[in-house]
Amino acid sequence: MSAVLDLCAAAKAAAPALARASTAHKDAALAAMAAALEADQRRIVEANVHDLEAARAQGVPSGTLDRLTLTPERIAALGAGLRDLVRLTDPVGEIVRGWKRPNGLEIRQVRVPLGVVAMVYEGRPNVTVDASGLALKSGNACVLRGSSLAQRSNATLAAILRAAVEQTGLPADAVCFVEDTSRAAVGELMRARGLVDLLIPRGGAGLIQAVVRDSQVPVVETGVGNCHVYVDRAADLDMAVRIVVNAKAARPSVCCAAESLLVHHDVAETYLPKVAAALGEAGVELRGDPATCALVDATPATPEDWDTEFLDLVLAVRVVDSLDDALAHIACHGTLHTEAIVTGDRAAARTFTAEVDAAAVMVNASTYFTDGGQFGFGAEIGISTQKMHARGPMALPELTTTKYIVEGDGQVRE
């Protein structure tokens, strides 16, 4: 077998020990992982500095650099995320439902680990930690393949996590790291039927679509986020300014950042100058339709702007004639990730939440909340934009499947 398949086999061999591990044992491993990250903070930062220097030399965009960066504060947050997982309920063994048949058979549907979860991701070293922690708590082994941009950071993090897991008596191969950053390595993971139970791509649209299209193992499609905020005619305009600035500018490099703003024409003349001023202070460039450009200083939007995940301080803005017009725009250009409405009209909010097709729909709240930690999940392994198995932020329950336990006392089928 190839080196990649060897790693998958090692993870598969480790999976039974994780599946039968007690909650207390898994929690001890998570706590050890968090402590190890904090103890080796300097080593992690040094590795990350090398990655950042190489990325800057390649002219990598600012949004990608932000996702790549590991500061002491971000490393501390990763450790805190692992400790949050300790406090969360272990999904393994949960009885989803149970009943007794007239013939006396007792049937229970019980949550069990998937087995081996593989991740392919780009420029996000935090995923190395989040995926390892979520997989372990849910009783799964993981195989991680990051990108060349974060190679040193990912390799350092994985080595630290593996050592911490092994110190608690669980197999180090609970966390397997693929050092090969070539496309061929991704191809090996996509063909690892029988070794990998689920493959999750997390990155740009090209990576995600290539994996979804070509994988021979089950895949969860995670989110490219062309997210919209629609400001309705009945919106509190001051609230709408705060929400849009947060959704766009708080951290523009994340997939739940707003990329398009839709404004009802009844409030556009009052609202757009307000929000443009606030966004300007945050350094946001506006690209608008003709109605927007007539009211504020904005670059004329191109057709491509409505479909672009900028991941930067750029926002496409359009004035719409109605709620239905906004819904039609989102249906045409959205990516099924996160959509938001700002309105004081409950009927408009109900229509929006009922008709928008997205993993998360916000009412009078920022799109930036679509995040496993913000949802109370501790962390996320990705945000699924598909409709089967899992949708939205994927955390512990989404990394399990179920089996039926049927108990009898000698029954046979007539």
Side-chain angles (χ1 to χ4, degrees):
M1 291 193 298
S2 72
V4 173
L5 293 182
D6 284 342
L7 287 172
C8 295
K12 188 173 182 65
L18 296 166
R20 63 176 176 263
S22 67
T23 300
H25 198 171
K26 292 185 289 186
D27 287 346
L30 290 167
M33 292 160 71
L37 291 178
E38 293 164 356
D40 267 342
Q41 187 179 99
R42 179 177 295 180
R43 178 181 163 199
I44 296 167
V45 170
E46 288 174 355
N48 187 243
V49 166
H50 284 286
D51 286 334
L52 286 169
E53 289 175 349
R56 291 190 186 99
Q58 296 175 42
V60 168
S62 60
T64 303
L65 288 174
D66 176 64
R67 293 195 300 274
L68 177 60
T69 301
L70 289 176
T71 63
E73 293 75 20
R74 289 187 180 181
I75 296 168
L78 290 173
L82 291 172
R83 291 194 174 94
D84 285 342
L85 290 176
V86 172
R87 292 188 282 270
L88 295 178
T89 301
D90 186 347
V92 178
E94 175 193 346
I95 298 174
V96 178
R97 53 182 174 162
W99 61 97
K100 189 171 184 176
R101 297 292 294 147
N103 63 4
L105 287 179
E106 294 185 356
I107 304 175
R108 301 188 307 278
Q109 185 183 17
V110 181
R111 288 197 183 277
V112 296
L114 290 166
V116 176
V117 177
M119 289 278 302
V120 180
Y121 50 105
E122 296 177 334
R124 295 168 166 88
N126 65 290
V127 175
T128 301
V129 179
D130 291 345
S132 298
L134 284 163
L136 191 146
K137 178 79 177 196
S138 55
N140 297 290
C142 63
V143 179
L144 307 175
R145 187 273 190 188
S147 67
S148 58
L149 278 180
Q151 175 63 14
R152 291 198 184 203
S153 303
N154 287 331
T156 301
L157 289 168
I160 292 168
L161 296 173
R162 284 173 55 85
V165 168
E166 191 170 34
Q167 287 172 4
T168 67
L170 290 173
D173 288 332
V175 179
C176 289
F177 178 69
V178 178
E179 294 190 6
D180 184 350
T181 60
S182 69
R183 292 184 179 179
V186 178
E188 293 285 346
L189 288 175
M190 291 191 294
R191 293 188 294 272
R193 285 188 69 86
L195 296 176
V196 171
D197 296 286
L198 182 68
L199 178 58
I200 304 173
R202 187 169 172 182
L207 169 69
I208 293 169
Q209 290 307 312
V211 173
V212 169
R213 183 183 62 246
D214 298 332
S215 181
Q216 296 174 16
V217 302
V219 174
V220 167
E221 184 172 356
T222 60
V224 172
N226 187 16
C227 305
H228 300 75
V229 178
Y230 165 57
V231 178
D232 187 46
R233 65 192 299 179
D236 178 320
L237 298 187
D238 290 334
M239 175 195 294
V241 169
R242 294 194 303 272
I243 287 173
V244 170
V245 171
N246 180 261
K248 175 71 263 182
R251 196 173 179 194
S253 64
V254 296
C255 60
C256 58
E259 304 292 14
S260 293
L261 169 63
L262 307 175
V263 181
H264 196 291
H265 74 85
D266 287 0
V267 296
E269 187 173 354
T270 302
Y271 176 70
L272 279 175
K274 286 186 177 182
V275 74
L279 289 167
E281 290 179 3
V284 177
E285 174 195 345
L286 302 183
R287 298 182 185 177
D289 68 340
T292 297
C293 292
L295 293 170
V296 297
D297 184 14
T299 301
T302 66
E304 291 77 20
D305 286 330
W306 308 117
D307 296 304
T308 299
E309 184 186 29
F310 298 110
L311 299 175
D312 205 348
L313 290 170
V314 180
L315 184 67
V317 186
R318 180 187 170 198
V319 176
V320 295
D321 292 330
S322 64
L323 171 59
D324 286 342
D325 197 13
L327 290 168
H329 180 100
I330 292 169
C332 181
H333 302 285
T335 53
L336 313 182
H337 193 295
T338 302
E339 308 295 351
I341 182 173
V342 185
T343 186
D345 183 340
R346 291 185 179 182
R350 285 195 298 270
T351 298
F352 191 86
T353 57
E355 295 190 19
V356 163
D357 187 8
V361 183
M362 306 292 181
V363 178
N364 295 330
S366 171
T367 60
Y368 191 26
F369 281 111
T370 305
D371 173 86
Q374 293 296 315
F375 278 26
F377 299 160
E380 71 191 32
I381 204 163
I383 296 174
S384 169
T385 55
Q386 64 184 40
K387 298 181 183 180
M388 297 300 291
H389 173 64
R391 198 177 195 197
M394 292 180 60
L396 297 173
E398 290 75 27
L399 291 176
T400 64
T401 183
T402 63
K403 67 170 61 169
Y404 287 94
I405 309 297
V406 183
E407 294 187 2
D409 58 359
Q411 289 93 332
V412 295
R413 184 170 175 176
E414 299 295 336

